[in-house]
Amino acid sequence: MQEVDVRLDRVTKDFGETVAVDDLSLDIHEGEFFSMLGPSGCGKTTTLRMIGGFEEPTRGTVYLGGRDVTNLPPYRRDVNTVFQSYALFPHLNVFENVAFGLRRKKVDKRDIDRRVREALELVDLRGFETRKPSQMSGGQQQRVALARALVNRPKVLLLDEPLGAVDLKLRKQMQLELKRIQEEVGITFIYVTHDQEEAMTMSDRLAVMRHGRAEQVGVPEDVYENPQTEFVATFLGASNLLDGELKEERDGISTVLLSGGDVVRLPSSRAPFRVGSAVRVGVRPEKIQIEADEGGEPPMGLNRVRGLLRMSTYIGVSHQYKVEGPGGAELTVWVQNLGARPAPRPGERVVLSWRPEHTFAVLPQGYAAEEEEAV
Amino acid sequence: MEQPVRSDLPVAERKGARLGRRLAPYLLGAPASLWLALFFVVPMFTMLSLSLQTCDPVTLACRLTWHVGEFPQAVGEFHAYFLRSIQYGGAATVIDLVVAFPLAYWIAFRARRKSFFLLMLLLPFFVSFVIRTLTWQFILSDQGLILGTLKNLHLLPQDFHVLATGWAVTAGIAYNFLPFTALPLYVALERIDPRVLEAAADLYASRSMAFLRVTLPLAIPGIFAAFLLTFVPAVGDFVNATILGGTSNLMVGNIIQNKFLLFTDYPAASALSAILMAVLLVGIALYSRVLGSRTIEEYV
Ligand SMILES: Nc1ncnc2c1ncn2[C@@H]1O[C@H](COP(=O)(O)OP(=O)(O)OP(=O)(O)O)[C@@H](O)[C@H]1O
Ligand SMILES: [Mg+2]
């Protein structure tokens, strides 16, 4: 693949008792849009700060473009940051804030003028040149912070929730702009966000972080379709998880006996565990078909469980169903509103079915506590 | 007064609440205004009028005669003292700024126990101004702790002296007014968000660049305040000149004091005070025009 641009090699950062980043290794490729997702306090900002040079790792090494920069001060790294807290210069107006980096690099005066105006145009802040940061709204300040970093066209741009305070419409527009710049100029983006949709749509790859570690790193589709831990399965999108035991593995097909008595099958590559392990079998809500239970057999080769429809919510483009499955497990089902079939009603017995290749398995782990933290 | 206006109250009462809210700032400002009027405006006009009066040298009974002669005479006779005051006060202020800035910077950004060091800075203030200055007289005396020792070691000639020179006065003023310089600087530096300095480093500013382009401009209001709080009282000071300066290094403050207490020449003393005030006000107005409308950014 492409060259590695940013490499974290077994990086740890302790703050006294707190381990903010825990033995983290990451390779981020040149020109890549790489996102970091994770609950509050999982170490995203700290990771960015170590790449930017504001925090020295307790252990481990940071490489930029193959060079060990662990002890290099920020101003000697060709990296710019959009800070979570904006950190605009209060004594400078918007123009001078954005021009700050260019002036330090002794860029030609006329070029500065042009590039600053372009950058301000990009973040939709034309005409704000002479305002002071204190005279702007949070979202506007955030866009100044974005322009101030972008204007330098660094090799690597670190963005710590850069659109968090921007309203939805402008946010969509700026997501497109950011993606365009990133591809045109070939900047490596390391992007922290709380917005899953943003991470999924914009990233080439993403990392789901937890407790200072990367739980899973990969292409958004892979991480979504094949989460490798229970945490990832529930943090990135919604998942239905059913307890069971891995019973058999034959011809690339694994069989799991659910605690409710049903048997489901899935490709063995999606359940790389020893036979006999306790596992949780997962399936995404939109992958499930729901129909009234008429006693008949569904098409061969599908996984299926029976249940009682508890609740049906109409959301316009789709229906959301809550189904009480075998052993009392609650399952969520989203069905696109095609209007082809009559929707089942609450209180009816239903059959849920889905394809084995849409099934995944993870090892059970206590995750409830962290999930609360994440909200 | 901050209660929301209740619509179920009679109209008159609601009006009262609104009136109260409108009056609140004035009511809150009243004590300070009264204080200023009583202890600043009245004495100032008394002083100005006194400078235009003529007094009987024996009975000290004064009469307003609109005699303006005191002013040219004060300037003619004592302009050297004005210049000397500005020189000593200015030099002491510069020394204080140079000493206090690193000190305040260190306490604001580096020190662990800030309040401890601030207390250390203020501790000399718990001793009377005069006693502190007398101590310096003792320390700097010709055969004292420092000079005596150095002379005994033949590192200094026997007739070397510091007391009764402008240096001693300047040093005394600088010493006495240091906290007035350090505290406003500390407050200004302490308010600077360290994350802004990180942003500067992120945008290719070395430490010295970040200092020049971010820390210093953000500290300018503090520097301005420190300058005012030091320079103004320093120029008018007479204690240091009296105790450390001997007879040949007197400042305007000494002249005013003497005219008032020794010679009871109230009109002359008042005229001198008025001139000193005018000089300082004009100087400060010019100075604030320069520092107020521009930042260091535009100089470099
Ligand atoms: N300077 C510091 N001193 C002590 N602890 C810190 C410091 N900075 C961060 N931490 C701790 O390290 C952990 C990781 O913090 P970090 O700021 O990296 O989280 P984050 O993933 O960016 O969270 P958020 O999504 O809320 O921004 C947290 O537990 C935090 O309390
Ligand atoms: Mg953060």
Coordinates of all heavy atoms in Angstrom, one line a residue, chain A residues 10 12 35 42 81 96 123 127 138 142 145 165 172 207 211 217 225 229 263 274 285 289 294 310 317-318 341 369:
Chain A
R10 N 3.8 1.5 19.9 CA 3.7 1.2 21.3 C 3.7 2.4 22.2 O 4.5 2.4 23.2 CB 4.7 0.1 21.7 CG 4.8 -1.1 20.7 CD 5.3 -2.3 21.4 NE 4.6 -2.6 22.6 CZ 4.9 -3.6 23.3 NH1 5.9 -4.4 23.0 NH2 4.2 -3.9 24.4
T12 N 2.5 5.0 24.9 CA 1.7 5.0 26.2 C 1.9 6.4 26.7 O 2.9 7.1 26.7 CB 2.3 4.0 27.2 OG1 2.1 2.7 26.7 CG2 1.6 4.1 28.5
S35 N -10.0 8.3 10.7 CA -10.8 8.9 11.8 C -10.6 8.1 13.1 O -10.3 6.9 13.0 CB -12.3 8.8 11.5 OG -12.5 9.7 10.4
C42 N -11.5 8.5 26.1 CA -10.8 7.3 25.7 C -9.4 7.6 25.1 O -8.7 6.6 24.7 CB -11.6 6.5 24.6 SG -11.6 7.3 23.0
T81 N -2.8 21.6 13.7 CA -3.9 21.1 14.5 C -5.1 22.0 14.5 O -4.9 23.2 14.6 CB -3.4 20.9 16.0 OG1 -2.2 20.2 15.9 CG2 -4.4 20.1 16.8
E96 N -5.6 37.9 10.7 CA -4.3 37.7 11.3 C -4.2 36.3 12.0 O -3.1 35.7 12.0 CB -3.9 38.8 12.3 CG -3.5 40.1 11.6 CD -2.4 40.0 10.6 OE1 -1.5 39.1 10.9 OE2 -2.4 40.6 9.6
V123 N -14.4 28.3 4.5 CA -15.1 28.0 5.7 C -16.3 29.0 5.8 O -16.9 29.2 6.9 CB -14.3 28.1 7.0 CG1 -13.2 27.0 6.9 CG2 -13.6 29.5 7.1
G127 N -15.7 38.3 4.7 CA -16.2 39.5 5.3 C -16.0 39.6 6.8 O -16.4 40.5 7.4
G138 N -19.6 30.5 18.6 CA -18.8 29.3 18.7 C -18.5 28.6 17.4 O -17.3 28.2 17.1
Q142 N -14.9 28.1 15.5 CA -14.4 26.8 15.1 C -14.0 26.8 13.6 O -13.0 26.2 13.3 CB -15.5 25.8 15.3 CG -15.0 24.4 15.2 CD -15.9 23.4 15.8 OE1 -17.1 23.5 15.7 NE2 -15.4 22.4 16.5
A145 N -10.7 28.4 13.3 CA -9.6 27.5 13.7 C -9.3 26.5 12.6 O -8.1 26.2 12.3 CB -10.1 26.7 15.0
A165 N -19.2 22.2 16.6 CA -20.1 23.3 17.0 C -20.8 24.0 15.7 O -21.4 25.0 15.8 CB -19.3 24.4 17.7
K172 N -22.6 19.6 6.8 CA -22.6 18.7 5.6 C -21.7 19.3 4.5 O -21.0 18.6 3.8 CB -24.0 18.5 5.1 CG -24.9 17.8 6.1 CD -24.7 16.3 5.9 CE -25.5 15.6 7.0 NZ -24.8 14.4 7.6
A207 N -10.5 4.1 13.4 CA -10.1 3.3 14.5 C -11.2 3.6 15.6 O -11.6 4.7 15.8 CB -8.7 3.8 15.1
H211 N -10.5 3.1 26.2 CA -9.5 3.0 27.3 C -8.1 3.2 26.7 O -7.2 2.4 27.1 CB -9.6 1.6 28.0 CG -10.8 1.4 28.8 ND1 -11.5 2.5 29.3 CD2 -11.5 0.3 29.1 CE1 -12.6 2.0 29.9 NE2 -12.6 0.7 29.8
V217 N -9.2 -1.4 13.9 CA -8.8 -0.4 12.9 C -9.2 -1.0 11.6 O -8.9 -2.2 11.3 CB -7.3 -0.1 13.0 CG1 -6.9 0.9 12.0 CG2 -6.9 0.3 14.4
E225 N -19.4 -4.0 9.2 CA -20.0 -5.3 8.9 C -19.4 -6.4 9.8 O -20.1 -7.4 10.0 CB -19.7 -5.6 7.4 CG -20.3 -4.7 6.4 CD -21.9 -4.6 6.5 OE1 -22.5 -5.6 7.0 OE2 -22.4 -3.6 6.0
T229 N -15.2 -6.9 18.3 CA -15.4 -7.0 19.8 C -16.8 -6.5 20.0 O -17.4 -5.8 19.2 CB -14.4 -6.1 20.6 OG1 -14.7 -4.7 20.3 CG2 -13.0 -6.4 20.3
V263 N -30.6 -22.4 16.5 CA -29.2 -22.6 15.9 C -29.0 -21.6 14.8 O -29.9 -21.4 14.0 CB -29.1 -24.1 15.4 CG1 -27.8 -24.2 14.6 CG2 -29.1 -25.1 16.5
R274 N -12.4 -20.8 19.4 CA -12.3 -22.2 19.6 C -13.7 -22.8 19.7 O -14.6 -22.2 20.3 CB -11.5 -22.6 20.8 CG -10.6 -23.8 20.6 CD -9.7 -24.1 21.8 NE -8.8 -22.9 22.1 CZ -8.6 -22.5 23.4 NH1 -9.3 -23.1 24.4 NH2 -7.8 -21.5 23.6
P285 N -29.5 -4.4 12.8 CA -31.0 -4.3 12.7 C -31.5 -4.2 11.3 O -32.6 -4.7 11.0 CB -31.3 -3.0 13.5 CG -30.1 -2.7 14.3 CD -28.9 -3.3 13.7
Q289 N -35.0 -9.5 8.3 CA -36.3 -9.5 7.7 C -37.3 -9.9 8.8 O -37.0 -10.8 9.6 CB -36.4 -10.4 6.6 CG -35.5 -10.0 5.4 CD -36.0 -10.6 4.1 OE1 -37.1 -11.0 4.0 NE2 -35.0 -10.8 3.2
E294 N -46.3 -17.7 10.4 CA -47.5 -18.5 9.9 C -47.1 -20.0 10.0 O -47.8 -20.8 9.3 CB -47.9 -18.1 8.5 CG -48.7 -16.8 8.5 CD -48.4 -15.9 7.3 OE1 -47.6 -16.3 6.4 OE2 -49.0 -14.8 7.3
R310 N -43.1 -6.6 20.1 CA -43.5 -5.7 21.3 C -43.9 -4.3 20.9 O -44.8 -3.8 21.5 CB -42.3 -5.7 22.3 CG -42.1 -6.9 23.1 CD -43.2 -7.0 24.1 NE -43.0 -8.2 25.0 CZ -44.0 -8.8 25.6 NH1 -45.2 -8.3 25.5 NH2 -43.7 -9.8 26.4
V317 N -39.3 6.9 6.6 CA -38.6 6.1 5.6 C -38.5 4.6 6.1 O -38.2 3.7 5.3 CB -37.1 6.6 5.4 CG1 -37.2 7.9 4.7 CG2 -36.3 6.7 6.6
S318 N -38.6 4.4 7.4 CA -38.5 3.0 7.8 C -39.4 2.7 9.0 O -40.0 3.6 9.6 CB -37.1 2.7 8.2 OG -36.7 3.4 9.3
R341 N -45.6 -4.9 1.7 CA -46.4 -5.9 2.6 C -47.0 -5.2 3.7 O -46.5 -4.2 4.2 CB -45.4 -6.9 3.1 CG -45.4 -8.2 2.2 CD -44.4 -9.2 2.9 NE -43.1 -8.9 2.4 CZ -42.0 -9.6 2.8 NH1 -42.1 -10.5 3.8 NH2 -40.8 -9.3 2.4
A369 N -20.7 -0.9 31.6 CA -20.2 0.3 32.3 C -19.6 1.4 31.4 O -19.9 2.5 31.5 CB -19.1 -0.1 33.3

